Every structure is written in C-alpha cells, then in structure tokens.
Amino acid sequence: MTKKPIIGITMGDAAGVGPEVIVKSLQNKEIYDQVHPIVIGDAKMLERAAEIFNADITVKTVDRHAAFTAEFGEIVCVDLDLLPADLPFGQVSGEAGNAAFQYLKTAIELANDAKIDAICTAPLNKEALHKGGHIYPGHTEILADLTNTKDFSMMLSSPKLKVIHVTTHIGLIDAINQIEPERVYKVIRLAHDTLSKSGIKQPKIGVCGINPHAGENGLFGNGEEEEKIDPAIKRATEEGINVEGALPADTLFFRAQRGDFDIVVAMYHDQGHGPIKVLGLEAGVNITVGLPIIRTSVDHGTAFDIAGKGIVDDGSMLEALRQAIELAPKK
C-alpha cells in the first residue's frame, strides 16, 4: 500500500502573503487526504494568518526530529521562531529575508534526512533576501547551491501541460547561442528521470525546434535544429528514452495538451511560458528539476500590496501541493 508522502512547505517571506496562502490552502481537506503537510516557518506568523481568515484551525508546533503526521484541522509547524509577532506587512525586511532563507535551508536538511519527501515553497522577496545577507537570485539558486547541484532546469506544470526549459532568463539571441547538444540532452534526461521517478513508465517527451516549422529541412534558420538539437535526440533515443523531435512548437504544444506527450522540452523562456500561461496563471506551478529533492513553488510573488488583507488566491499553492504529491517518489 502506498503511504501518504510528507510535504515540507516553507513559509517564504512572512511580510508577504506566504503565511496567508498556506493557511488558506490548508483549509482544504483534500490535501490531507493525500499528504501530510508540514510547514517550516514561524508558528506565530501562521497563527496571525489564521486570525485574518478567522480560520477554525490549530497551529501545532513540532520538533524537527519528531515523526511527522498532520490531520485536517491542524497546521503542523516546525517552528524556527525567528520573527517578531508584530512584523509589519508589505515591507522589505532583512529579518524576514533571512528567515525565509533559514526555512528553506531547514527544509533541505529535512529532505536530506528523509524526514520529508518533497518541498513546496511559498514566495520570498529577493531584496529582503539580500538585506538578510543571502545574495542569491531566488529559490532555485539557493536549492542548487545547498544541494551541490550543477545540472538543473525550470519545469512549469499545469493540469494539462508540463514544460521543461533548455534556457530561461536570458535574451533570445543569447539563448540561441547557448543552446548546445549537451545542454539539450541533459534537459531531456532531466525530464525523463523526473517523470520516471514520479511513476510514469517511459514518459513521452516532445522536443521543440528553434525556428518556425522546426526549420523545415533548412528552409528556415541556419540549420540550428540539425546542429543543436538532433544530436541530443539521437543520443537520448539510443539510451532508450522515448523522445521525439525537433518538432514545430505550435503543433507540439497542441498535441501535448491533448495528451500525446507527457512533457515538452522548450528551447527558450517565452516558447515554454506562453502556452502554460494561456492555460491559466492560477494553475501554473514552478518546479526545479535536477535536484536530489522534488521542489514545487507557487507561480506568484510575495504580493506585498495585499499582504495581511486576507484576499490572496490560493489556487497556485493548491496546484503546487498537488504537483509535489504527484512528483514525490512513491513509497
């Protein structure tokens, strides 16, 4: 019998909507039917969020060495007790930035000790993180650094579509220059390994071309598909990976959301992000793959402008939890 996974939820920046989105999402019984959610953060911030929603829920603190279980009606918290009870909402704070880092660091340690099966992160604020003494661009780079991971990639997931990226936050010309067979192969391998571990046998992987119509046999572009993508697909196929490409991106995304593929390999940021966001921002989830830990995240920021008002939407957090459950190694 498969046991319910234990998902560690990091609270993110407590001056933002992190505590609220966690409390709101954990008022859904369906989450507890599938998983034991364990929050790594500050109990007093969760209690404050529960008061904002007038939620009929109890915050229960536990030691990090305890056996983790959680029942509906309670929020179990590994309480690091780092923040003052009157932390202002919506303000950049080095104190909150440092706390967000410490929550994530603790979650990584718990995952390494097999205390949790995956990590789901509420948003942090990069300026606050830097003020707190931790100079990283964001969650992904912290996770990669603290797990000594060199090869990783961003995967976006929605109920109908999963996309993994060869390049992300760089200009289009730079992205095309950086696309090389070795990187394309590694991303195909990351996609295969991630979905295989989640229980999908021989996941079907579709690989986008770079040019319109994937170059159409040299009619468009300068042979980028043949030079940069085809050798990677050949190598992956020889290793038994079920991969097809390079395919025209416009038709590939249609086929993927129809169910022909389990995941799409996108070559650059907008090629992959656009289709996911057309399917619905509220259902999008950001996943870092290649780590020794499954990590999912909400696809929104700290929303300082609405923090403390009790109006945050929990759709992305609920989907991030569902994806963590889906991708967590099966016991």
Side-chain angles (χ1 to χ4, degrees):
M1 182 177 179
T2 302
K3 295 181 180 179
K4 289 195 293 186
I6 300 170
I7 307 299
I9 307 170
T10 58
M11 205 172 68
D13 192 310
V17 295
E20 290 169 77
V21 79
I22 290 170
V23 168
K24 189 172 184 179
S25 64
L26 293 186
Q27 293 180 69
N28 288 267
K29 187 176 183 298
E30 64 164 302
I31 297 298
Y32 290 81
D33 291 340
Q34 301 175 73
V35 67
H36 294 292
I38 307 297
V39 180
I40 299 96
D42 266 54
K44 65 178 79 70
M45 296 294 104
L46 297 171
E47 290 168 347
R48 182 168 72 165
E51 289 177 4
I52 291 170
F53 289 113
N54 195 25
D56 184 17
I57 200 163
T58 301
V59 178
K60 174 184 174 183
T61 62
V62 294
D63 183 86
R64 63 183 292 171
H65 302 294
F68 293 152
T69 61
E71 301 296 332
F72 180 64
E74 65 181 16
I75 297 179
V76 176
C77 177
V78 177
D79 184 16
L80 300 194
D81 192 21
L82 296 173
L83 296 174
D86 60 350
L87 179 77
F89 288 114
Q91 295 183 21
V92 173
S93 158
E95 197 170 19
N98 173 59
F101 176 86
Q102 299 302 332
Y103 305 150
L104 184 59
K105 180 173 180 287
T106 300
I108 292 168
E109 292 166 355
L110 291 172
N112 288 338
D113 292 340
K115 295 287 293 179
I116 59 177
D117 300 300
I119 297 172
C120 181
T121 58
L124 54 72
N125 179 278
K126 294 178 180 62
E127 184 181 353
L129 181 70
H130 294 177
K131 280 192 170 184
H134 307 288
I135 312 302
Y136 293 91
H139 272 117
T140 299
E141 292 77 14
I142 297 171
L143 283 152
D145 186 27
L146 297 186
T147 59
N148 296 311
T149 301
K150 303 301 180 188
D151 294 321
F152 56 92
S153 182
M154 174 191 293
M155 184 167 91
L156 299 179
S157 181
S158 70
K160 286 190 174 183
L161 182 65
K162 287 182 172 61
V163 182
I164 190 170
H165 293 70
V166 173
T167 66
T168 49
H169 294 108
I170 54 176
L172 184 55
I173 292 174
D174 293 331
I176 293 170
N177 289 334
Q178 287 191 21
I179 297 168
E180 296 293 345
E182 182 67 18
R183 173 61 181 168
V184 175
Y185 164 77
K186 286 179 177 177
V187 174
I188 293 170
R189 169 57 70 179
L190 286 171
H192 172 82
D193 291 350
T194 299
L195 296 190
S196 295
K197 288 176 183 176
S198 76
I200 300 175
K201 293 183 179 179
Q202 281 298 100
K204 301 183 293 293
I205 302 169
V207 180
C208 290
I210 296 171
N211 295 296
H213 302 276
E216 201 162 305
N217 298 315
L219 185 61
F220 303 111
N222 295 296
E224 286 86 359
E225 281 75 17
E226 291 79 7
E227 175 190 346
K228 296 172 175 288
I229 300 174
D230 289 352
I233 292 173
K234 181 174 185 293
R235 179 179 171 186
T237 301
E238 289 172 349
E239 294 179 2
I241 295 175
N242 185 1
V243 59
E244 186 179 340
L247 298 171
D250 51 359
T251 55
L252 172 53
F253 281 108
F254 170 77
R255 292 178 59 194
Q257 63 84 31
R258 186 177 66 184
D260 294 359
F261 296 94
D262 295 301
I263 191 167
V264 172
V265 176
M267 292 297 123
Y268 52 89
H269 183 281
D270 285 11
Q271 188 180 60
H273 279 60
I276 285 282
K277 296 194 174 183
V278 165
L279 289 174
L281 280 169
E282 72 283 351
V285 177
N286 187 324
I287 303 167
T288 308
V289 298
L291 303 170
I293 304 163
I294 294 298
R295 176 260 174 163
T296 68
S297 177
V298 295
D299 196 24
H300 61 72
T302 49
F304 277 176
D305 58 323
I306 63 168
K309 297 180 180 179
I311 59 175
V312 65
D313 189 301
D314 64 345
S316 186
M317 174 58 81
L318 287 170
E319 189 58 33
L321 286 166
R322 294 186 188 108
Q323 293 292 331
I325 294 164
E326 179 182 328
L327 293 170
K330 302 301 180 284
K331 298 179 182 177

